[in-house]
Amino acid sequence: MKHLTALFYFFLLLSLIGFLITWSNSETSIDSYIGDAGESLIGADIVNSEPYSASITEESTTPGTFSQTYSWEYEGCNWQLTLPLNNELYEKYKSRTRNRDYDLFASDPYDDWLIKDIAEALLSLSKAHGLEKSQIPGLCISFVQSLNYISDLESSGYDQYPRFPYETLYENGGDCEDTSILSVAILQEMGYDAILLELPEHMALGIKCNNGYRGRSFEYEGSNYYYLETTGSDWQIGEVPGEYSDQPVHVVPVYRRPMINLDFKAQCAYSKKEGVVDINVTVRNVGSEKAENATVYVALQAEDKLSLWDEIESSSITIEPEGVFNYTAKGLTVPAGNKFRVYVQASGENLVPENITSKWAMI
């Protein structure tokens, strides 16, 4: 009897398991649920109560790491993205000089891991939701537009204080150049051809599109780039806010390149016969690419600006992004009683030459 009872419960358990498996399979899967809901909600006024969500995580976390979740609406649905951020890394970004071109904030190599993960998460969400390819830039921009608008003066005390994408995400906001820099970085990582558009007192971005789009576009290197606003909300590709519709626009391409900041200090010892000048030069690569075969040239320039009293050049080096090269030119001489100025130039294989000079002096 006990054997028959045990056998009965065994078959009952099998039946229950089979029922549960059949019941769970009859429910709509996550992928198809997102697709079906997306089709019914596009253009609707209601908001899906189950956000389309993605979470980006790191394999290892360091002290100070925390998660920040961003929520926004696009095409009648709610979306969420959770990112890992780090206090210590944020402080390092804050310590970096702002003395660089806008495009170099967008192409900065040190946040590649985060920009890549954001792009992949947005592409994955758009695929799961069933967005058309033409709607994907809108999803990206709607995410960025959901960040808080914070003026530079309010947040930093400076009239102009461009931020790296990491800073904008950490602070959950920024002004027009910050959101444009973040947007162009993400869109380029997603495979779109995007540029920055600089206007008087404003910045937006341009995205290369087929001629089927309407609105304002700008030609750059034979292609049309349509205006895309990154502040406010619900702006369509090609739609320009009224206050900027008649403003001149400067196209700023975004790509990896080095950029050099130069500084120097000079000390002079002199006698009745001559002056001896030592110059300490600091070369900083504030670009997003290595400065290849870079050299530093130092000269004591004569008053006619064509003649030289003395000159010296360093050996060639490679300077990494954010790397610093210190070079000392010792013992340059100039005859007593003559005017001169210090002339310093940095040049290289992939560098636009950069030079600075001192004021005129006399030994």
Side-chain angles (χ1 to χ4, degrees):
M1 186 67 180
K2 288 182 180 180
H3 177 73
L4 289 175
T5 302
L7 195 60
F8 169 76
Y9 281 112
F10 174 72
F11 281 113
L12 180 62
L13 180 60
L14 286 179
S15 300
L16 180 61
I17 291 172
F19 170 77
L20 289 173
I21 291 173
T22 303
W23 178 81
S24 62
N25 285 340
S26 67
E27 292 294 313
T28 309
S29 69
I30 292 176
D31 289 339
S32 60
Y33 172 76
I34 290 175
D36 294 340
E39 291 172 8
S40 63
L41 289 177
I42 289 177
D45 293 329
I46 61 173
V47 175
N48 185 10
S49 60
E50 295 293 333
Y52 300 102
S53 179
S55 180
I56 297 172
T57 60
E58 291 178 287
E59 291 183 0
S60 60
T61 57
T62 54
T65 295
F66 66 96
S67 294
Q68 185 153 286
T69 298
Y70 309 84
S71 301
W72 72 100
E73 184 183 347
Y74 178 63
E75 294 289 1
C77 297
N78 247 7
W79 307 77
Q80 284 188 353
L81 186 62
T82 301
L83 305 179
L85 298 171
N86 182 274
N87 301 326
E88 185 177 346
L89 184 55
Y90 169 70
E91 292 300 326
K92 288 181 179 178
Y93 270 102
K94 281 181 64 177
S95 69
R96 295 171 67 179
T97 179
R98 308 294 135 170
N99 186 20
R100 68 188 81 208
D101 295 339
Y102 284 122
D103 65 290
L104 296 175
F105 290 89
S107 62
D108 180 60
Y110 295 111
D111 59 7
D112 283 356
W113 62 274
L114 183 58
I115 298 299
K116 181 180 179 180
D117 285 349
I118 292 172
E120 289 178 350
L122 292 176
L123 286 170
S124 177
L125 286 173
S126 64
K127 182 179 179 180
H129 181 73
L131 292 183
E132 296 180 5
K133 189 175 181 181
S134 61
Q135 295 174 298
I136 296 175
L139 175 63
C140 172
I141 295 301
S142 65
F143 159 57
V144 177
Q145 288 175 344
S146 71
L147 303 179
N148 299 318
Y149 181 86
I150 309 171
S151 71
D152 287 339
L153 194 60
E154 176 188 352
S155 60
S156 67
Y158 297 97
D159 288 334
Q160 291 297 323
Y161 190 86
R163 288 169 173 80
F164 293 94
Y166 195 94
E167 295 175 287
T168 302
L169 291 166
Y170 184 98
E171 296 172 13
N172 196 20
D175 67 359
C176 58
E177 76 253 15
D178 304 324
T179 52
S180 296
I181 286 167
L182 173 60
S183 298
V184 79
I186 297 172
L187 285 171
Q188 284 194 346
E189 183 61 39
M190 296 171 88
Y192 292 92
D193 190 346
I195 55 176
L196 292 173
L197 299 176
E198 191 173 357
L199 297 82
E201 305 299 325
H202 190 57
M203 181 168 282
L205 62 87
I207 183 168
K208 183 178 177 180
C209 298
N210 298 326
N211 293 328
Y213 283 89
R214 297 179 179 180
R216 192 173 180 187
S217 66
F218 306 88
E219 186 174 335
Y220 175 70
E221 294 189 343
S223 298
N224 285 329
Y225 291 82
Y226 284 82
Y227 186 98
L228 190 50
E229 182 64 34
T230 64
T231 58
S233 59
D234 299 326
W235 294 105
Q236 302 300 312
I237 293 177
E239 186 179 4
V240 183
E243 62 267 38
Y244 305 118
S245 59
D246 297 324
Q247 296 295 315
V249 176
H250 173 61
V251 172
V252 182
V254 178
Y255 60 96
R256 294 281 172 92
R257 62 185 177 90
M259 178 181 173
I260 293 299
N261 282 352
L262 274 179
D263 191 16
F264 72 85
K265 293 181 179 180
Q267 292 183 326
C268 182
Y270 57 92
S271 64
K272 293 181 179 180
K273 180 181 178 182
E274 65 181 8
V276 179
V277 186
D278 295 339
I279 301 106
N280 297 313
V281 182
T282 301
V283 184
R284 182 183 298 275
N285 180 9
V286 296
S288 52
E289 187 69 38
K290 294 179 183 179
E292 303 282 0
N293 294 320
T295 59
V296 178
Y297 171 77
V298 183
L300 301 183
Q301 200 174 51
E303 195 172 5
D304 63 6
K305 300 181 183 179
L306 299 175
S307 307
L308 302 173
W309 297 117
D310 206 351
E311 61 183 334
I312 190 172
E313 187 173 21
S314 73
S315 56
S316 62
I317 60 162
T318 296
I319 310 175
E320 298 283 343
E322 291 298 313
V324 177
F325 173 54
N326 295 304
Y327 176 68
T328 301
K330 294 184 69 69
L332 276 67
T333 60
V334 56
N338 290 284
K339 273 190 174 182
F340 75 96
R341 70 178 180 182
V342 176
Y343 174 90
V344 178
Q345 182 183 69
S347 57
E349 183 179 304
N350 58 342
L351 275 178
V352 175
E354 183 76 16
N355 63 76
I356 53 173
T357 59
S358 70
K359 294 181 179 179
W360 292 101
M362 181 181 290
I363 297 299

